[in-house]
Amino acid sequence: MLIDQQAPGNSVHVALGGQVSRELAERPEWLRLCAAVRESAPHAKVLEDFSHARSALLHVGVSEDLLNGIATGLRHGSWDDAVEAFARSQGQQVNFYLGPMRAAEAGPSKTGLFLLERRPNSAETVSMLEQATERIGKAMFGAPCSFMGRHVEFYDLTAAVGPLADASASAIALFTPFYFDGWTDSARQQENRRSLLLHNVVRSRFERLTRPLVDGLHVDFRPSALCDASDEELEDAFTLWLTLHEMMHASGPMPLFAEPGHKLDLGMDYGPIEEMRVDMSAFIALGILEGELGERATLAQELIVAERLLRSIRVGNALAPEANGIGKSLDGEHGCFWGATLHAADALRVVDGEIYLAWKEAHAAIREVLTEIYSGEAAARVANDAPVLLKNKAAQIRQRLFTKKGEDYALPAALDDHYQRLHAPDRMSLTFPDC
């Protein structure tokens, strides 16, 4: 990962690549394939270039059945074979895909391609957390946590053309089969659903958008542990946080994934509350595991807080500056919920442009708001009008934590003033020089 330049408009450009992508970049047929996809060439042309690049892709470890499935899709417009073959690529060192895709679960798709290279050492941490689901769940919900059949994996995104490249750092994960298009057989695709976390994109986002402000974050009057953390410690903290984040989406009184293959559509009324719920639940789960994790747990907790207080509030809302302080984005309002929750409990103070957290009080504030959310979700779970109850609960929390500003909401005045005065990059774009 290399930062190319400080760009105008308070943004940075980041170049991503990897060993396999660099190896492929030496093959002209790979570059021609990337160019055909980038130029939205007809499928017949893409198929021709794909056929020429096939041996190079086989050489770097892409499976033959996946390549056959992609060829079928390009010839006939049927992508079930390709999607299923990609699902069977769990744990492989290199994951490649070409076909209709999107960078989020909603919205139109278009033809794209990407290359993923497996992240070392993350599988052990994921396995440890999978084994801890019963203990975490019983401590928090009275029943084991669950991933609802989803497989969490960590990969680096090292080459991309199309939706994943166009979405830049806003696409930090790939959920299959939902992010792929053109497949039709749901029963066939649900068995091996995957949650692929794009580790290098998340880490680049932290380095460019969060770290510049970490020196201004204090925990019980000490500098945040993030200031002196090694690369290896940060890698581990990201894996702990993001795996627990995905676990919590599928757990709790009203899990986002209520059953295999079904996702509760919450929209912007409740979506930011859901994101706050899962991150705060991950925060509490790290405390439950503190006995075996030790300082690893605290570092991951501080990482969650830093990402929300130093990045989400300002970056999410910078995307909608006309929204009077709280932008209409999951990430932005989610961060505002964190800040307002901690501020209301006197667990967060702003002094001379720096943030001071009272750690014990922060834990108590998080537990209190989670209890409120869990109670609301437990009631909604057995109600006939669950969406209405959830939206009403979200409205109550907004009214309590935020201040009214015209027809919209804003942060409490002290926080709003603090974030208005911060100056740091608020967005980034990705480039892939190997394709």
Side-chain angles (χ1 to χ4, degrees):
M1 298 180 292
L2 299 173
I3 180 167
D4 285 343
Q5 58 180 311
Q6 178 72 42
N10 208 25
S11 64
V12 291
H13 291 282
V14 177
L16 299 181
Q19 180 179 346
V20 174
S21 66
R22 288 190 294 271
E23 181 179 335
L24 285 172
E26 297 177 357
R27 307 289 293 265
E29 59 270 34
W30 164 255
L31 298 178
R32 285 195 293 269
L33 173 62
C34 292
V37 174
R38 184 178 296 110
E39 295 163 7
S40 301
H43 277 186
K45 167 62 173 163
V46 175
L47 176 60
E48 178 183 352
D49 291 325
F50 174 73
S51 299
H52 291 150
R54 183 183 179 104
S55 62
L57 291 166
L58 282 170
H59 178 72
V60 298
V62 181
S63 66
E64 189 164 11
D65 63 334
L66 174 56
L67 297 176
N68 290 339
I70 293 171
T72 297
L74 290 170
R75 286 192 184 97
H76 307 297
S78 174
W79 293 92
D80 283 271
D81 288 353
V83 172
E84 183 178 16
F86 186 87
R88 293 198 300 267
S89 299
Q90 293 172 28
Q92 292 184 5
Q93 183 63 32
V94 175
N95 275 197
F96 166 81
Y97 194 78
L98 187 159
M101 62 181 69
R102 51 181 63 89
E105 291 179 39
S109 67
K110 73 173 186 177
T111 301
L113 65 77
F114 60 76
L115 188 75
L116 308 177
E117 300 183 41
R118 191 180 183 191
R119 194 75 193 177
N121 306 322
S122 61
E124 293 180 5
T125 299
V126 173
S127 178
M128 179 272 291
L129 293 175
E130 287 175 339
Q131 294 172 29
T133 53
E134 181 170 358
R135 182 155 61 92
I136 294 170
K138 287 186 175 179
M140 296 181 68
F141 311 118
C145 285
S146 172
F147 286 95
M148 291 289 181
R150 298 158 74 231
H151 303 277
V152 176
E153 306 164 75
F154 286 82
Y155 280 83
D156 285 343
L157 176 64
T158 61
V161 176
L164 285 188
D166 297 341
S168 199
S170 64
I172 64 168
L174 174 69
F175 301 112
T176 68
F178 309 112
Y179 282 31
F180 293 152
D181 205 356
W183 57 275
T184 58
D185 190 340
S186 297
R188 183 180 176 189
Q189 306 300 348
Q190 297 302 337
E191 184 176 354
N192 294 304
R193 289 173 297 137
R194 303 175 69 184
S195 298
L196 299 115
L197 284 299
L198 307 180
H199 193 287
N200 61 337
V201 178
V202 179
R203 179 66 189 272
S204 292
R205 188 181 66 178
F206 170 81
E207 295 294 339
R208 277 52 182 180
L209 305 182
T210 305
R211 189 187 283 280
L213 299 174
V214 162
D215 287 346
L217 177 64
H218 306 270
V219 178
D220 289 338
F221 297 99
R222 65 165 172 80
S224 168
L226 296 167
C227 294
D228 297 322
S230 68
D231 280 347
E232 293 76 13
E233 289 168 335
L234 282 172
E235 301 286 292
D236 178 64
F238 275 108
T239 304
L240 287 168
W241 163 38
L242 295 173
T243 305
L244 285 169
H245 181 103
E246 294 308 314
M247 177 196 295
M248 293 304 171
H249 269 310
S251 302
M254 195 79 177
L256 184 64
F257 298 94
E259 60 186 36
H262 172 73
K263 181 176 179 179
L264 184 65
D265 185 9
L266 300 176
M268 278 301 299
D269 285 327
Y270 197 81
I273 297 288
E274 164 72 9
E275 292 300 322
M276 177 177 70
R277 178 185 80 82
V278 299
D279 257 1
M280 287 188 171
S281 295
F283 183 97
I284 296 301
L286 286 162
I288 294 169
L289 298 175
E290 189 174 12
E292 57 261 52
L293 291 177
E295 294 181 357
R296 297 169 63 194
T298 302
L299 183 65
Q301 288 176 318
E302 291 189 25
L303 175 62
I304 297 173
V305 172
E307 280 286 277
R308 297 312 163 209
L309 298 183
L310 304 182
R311 183 187 59 78
S312 288
I313 291 180
R314 42 180 212 94
V315 173
N317 295 313
L319 301 179
E322 73 283 357
N324 288 328
I326 295 181
K328 304 307 179 189
S329 70
L330 284 175
D331 194 55
E333 192 174 11
H334 171 199
C336 290
F337 277 127
W338 272 86
T341 296
L342 297 174
H343 184 266
D346 290 325
L348 183 159
R349 294 183 302 111
V350 179
V351 180
D352 295 330
E354 301 197 339
I355 291 175
Y356 290 82
L357 283 180
W359 202 236
K360 181 179 178 181
E361 288 79 1
H363 277 260
I366 289 169
R367 288 183 179 276
E368 182 175 348
V369 74
L370 279 179
T371 297
E372 178 182 3
I373 294 170
Y374 293 158
S375 297
E377 291 190 356
R381 189 175 182 86
V382 296
N384 293 326
D385 55 350
V388 173
L389 290 179
L390 293 174
K391 289 179 180 180
N392 287 343
K393 173 55 65 178
Q396 292 170 11
I397 295 174
R398 286 184 176 93
Q399 290 167 8
R400 188 179 76 250
L401 293 177
F402 298 150
T403 61
K404 223 28 184 161
K405 195 171 185 179
E407 295 299 316
D408 295 303
Y409 288 109
L411 286 167
L415 292 183
D416 192 45
D417 181 68
H418 170 75
Y419 287 104
Q420 291 290 338
R421 294 171 182 269
L422 284 181
H423 297 286
D426 58 30
R427 64 199 68 194
M428 56 183 272
S429 60
L430 305 178
T431 59
F432 300 92
D434 300 329
C435 61

